[in-house]
Amino acid sequence: MPLPIKRGDREAVTSKMTSDPGESTMLVPQWRVTVNSRCERACGYCRPSGEAVATPKGVELAPEDLLRVARAVQARGITSVKLTGGDPALYGPLVEVVHRLRDEAGFTDIEVISRHPRIGELAGELAAAGVTLFNVSLDTLDPQLHHEICNVDDHGLVVEAIKQCVATGVPVKVNMVVLSGINDAEVTNLVQMCEAVGAHSVKLLDVIKDLDQGAESFSRRLLTKRGKSLADAYVPLGEITQALRSVSVSEETVHQGGLGHPMTVLTLSSGMRVVVKDSTAGAWYGSVCRGCVFFPCHDALMALRLTSDMRLQFCLLRDDNTVDLAAAAAESGTALEHAVEAAFEMYADAYFRSVPQPEAVR
């Protein structure tokens, strides 16, 4: 019997948590679109292509291609999309695409994920076009440390962009990647700052400690600046969560879409929510993971991503299992729609591992 679904703003409690891949209920991943291939910064816990597997510089999605894939995804019952990159703030047709995703493709939840100050300049237009959640990254309150982390000296502008997004009335989530010995002592102060400016929520993320096992990453900057690998920068979020729990008024567990990581959500007395994405809570895996040398990995199978060079991507670490949609998009007929439909079958036997351990994928 599926658990009842509860709703938080833009976060849904999953309808099933099971370790039995044989059950018939099929969960679907969240859908994320990397609209372009570069973000103009070099965060040590990330990589040049952002969420996408290695993608050439200067590549971006044509709106017509994006919308065609969006319609095929929406036909599978998904009406929520996260626009990421690269960085959507640097994507010229962003406002047009948001508008068309809402009015032409029928998406009801449109989240824009950015770490660039330009998102503040676009906030009013994006709100009018249909954005339902702004997600802006800020890892520190220290401008000097901000420069060290992302290699760009624009801390004050990012803070101002958060305020501009808040001013639209659209909910604003602030992402903070917590780094051991670098910014982990700042969590409480950053949460308080976001509370003061009226953010809807703060999301704390642990480092994807195996990201540098993929094709590319900026992790060499961590080595240069701090003598740390990604694994060294990882800090379990349990103690931080416990400290925040003491000042919260309620707690729940939520998921992003059906296959997202279980996340603790603490609501403060002000109403602001602190979302904790802690990889130790477990993750979902599926047939695409079978035989993978990276299994069990940090991010696992939570999302289906459309890359800026028109590939469907199942996970963060491999590019040998992506689905190239470019040729299908160039054909007349329904080849692209069939390719998207087939991609969703990769999630049909998804199963949850509460404590990932190195053993054969079933």
Side-chain angles (χ1 to χ4, degrees):
M1 176 75 67
L3 297 172
I5 297 179
K6 297 170 61 180
R7 294 280 174 181
D9 292 355
R10 319 298 183 238
E11 309 283 2
V13 176
T14 186
S15 60
K16 181 186 71 160
M17 283 195 58
T18 178
S19 58
D20 180 2
E23 292 190 19
S24 59
T25 303
M26 179 177 173
L27 296 177
V28 293
Q30 58 176 275
W31 188 47
R32 304 171 75 98
V33 179
T34 59
V35 295
N36 51 12
S37 62
R38 293 293 185 269
C39 70
E40 295 187 353
R41 40 205 70 211
C43 300
Y45 53 74
C46 197
R47 55 190 180 184
S49 298
E51 289 198 16
V53 291
T55 308
K57 183 178 180 179
V59 176
E60 66 177 34
L61 280 166
E64 291 301 330
D65 287 338
L66 193 163
L67 265 292
R68 187 175 171 190
V69 178
R71 294 185 188 98
V73 169
Q74 200 273 350
R76 303 287 302 181
I78 293 178
T79 58
S80 178
V81 59
K82 298 175 186 289
L83 301 179
T84 180
D87 199 304
L90 303 175
Y91 178 58
L94 178 62
V95 174
E96 171 199 345
V97 161
V98 169
H99 187 277
R100 295 180 66 185
L101 282 168
R102 181 190 66 181
D103 292 354
E104 297 178 25
F107 281 79
T108 56
D109 292 298
I110 304 172
E111 179 176 345
V112 174
I113 303 171
S114 176
R115 57 184 62 240
H116 196 284
R118 189 166 186 266
I119 198 64
E121 300 170 18
L122 295 171
E125 291 179 83
L126 289 169
V131 166
T132 54
L133 182 65
F134 288 107
N135 186 327
V136 185
S137 293
L138 183 69
D139 296 318
T140 177
L141 298 178
D142 181 345
Q144 186 173 346
L145 181 57
H146 172 83
H147 182 270
E148 178 187 323
I149 291 172
C150 67
N151 204 36
V152 178
D153 188 15
D154 61 1
H155 182 270
L157 296 176
V158 176
V159 173
E160 182 59 30
I162 292 171
K163 295 176 181 178
Q164 290 172 307
C165 291
V166 169
T168 67
V170 172
V172 176
K173 179 195 297 181
V174 177
N175 274 9
M176 178 186 188
V177 177
V178 183
L179 304 161
S180 177
I182 299 176
N183 68 348
D184 50 337
E186 288 191 74
V187 170
T188 299
N189 289 340
L190 191 139
V191 166
Q192 290 173 347
M193 186 279 287
C194 292
E195 194 173 20
V197 302
H200 167 270
S201 57
V202 173
K203 186 173 183 180
L204 306 177
L205 303 98
D206 53 9
V207 175
I208 301 178
K209 55 188 174 184
D210 52 12
L211 190 67
D212 53 358
Q213 296 179 39
E216 57 174 7
S217 79
F218 284 126
S219 60
R220 63 187 181 277
R221 293 193 67 250
L222 276 174
L223 284 172
T224 301
K225 297 287 185 179
R226 294 283 174 143
K228 291 177 179 283
S229 65
L230 283 179
D232 295 330
Y234 171 80
V235 55
L237 298 180
E239 289 187 13
I240 291 171
T241 303
Q242 186 59 33
L244 292 167
R245 186 175 280 127
S246 67
V247 296
S248 68
V249 296
S250 67
E251 178 177 344
E252 61 181 318
T253 299
V254 304
H255 293 252
Q256 291 182 321
L259 296 174
H261 296 66
M263 298 183 295
T264 299
V265 176
L266 304 168
T267 301
L268 307 183
S269 58
S270 65
M272 193 182 80
R273 294 149 53 96
V274 180
V275 183
V276 183
K277 182 182 177 183
D278 187 339
S279 60
T280 63
W284 291 85
Y285 298 87
S287 59
V288 72
C289 308
R290 188 171 293 118
C292 180
V293 298
F294 301 122
F295 177 83
C297 63
H298 182 115
D299 204 63
L301 201 64
M302 73 169 192
L304 180 65
R305 293 173 174 88
L306 175 65
T307 67
S308 59
D309 58 355
M310 282 290 283
R311 286 179 287 170
L312 289 178
Q313 172 185 334
F314 300 106
C315 67
L316 291 181
L317 299 182
R318 292 173 56 186
D319 59 8
D320 62 340
N321 61 3
T322 58
V323 178
D324 189 350
L325 296 181
E331 297 178 13
S332 58
T334 58
L336 182 143
E337 287 73 16
H338 287 317
V340 172
E341 183 177 1
F344 276 91
E345 294 304 314
M346 302 296 283
Y347 300 88
D349 64 351
Y351 63 95
F352 184 79
R353 292 175 58 89
S354 57
V355 182
Q357 297 176 0
E359 63 182 52
V361 179
R362 55 180 122 183

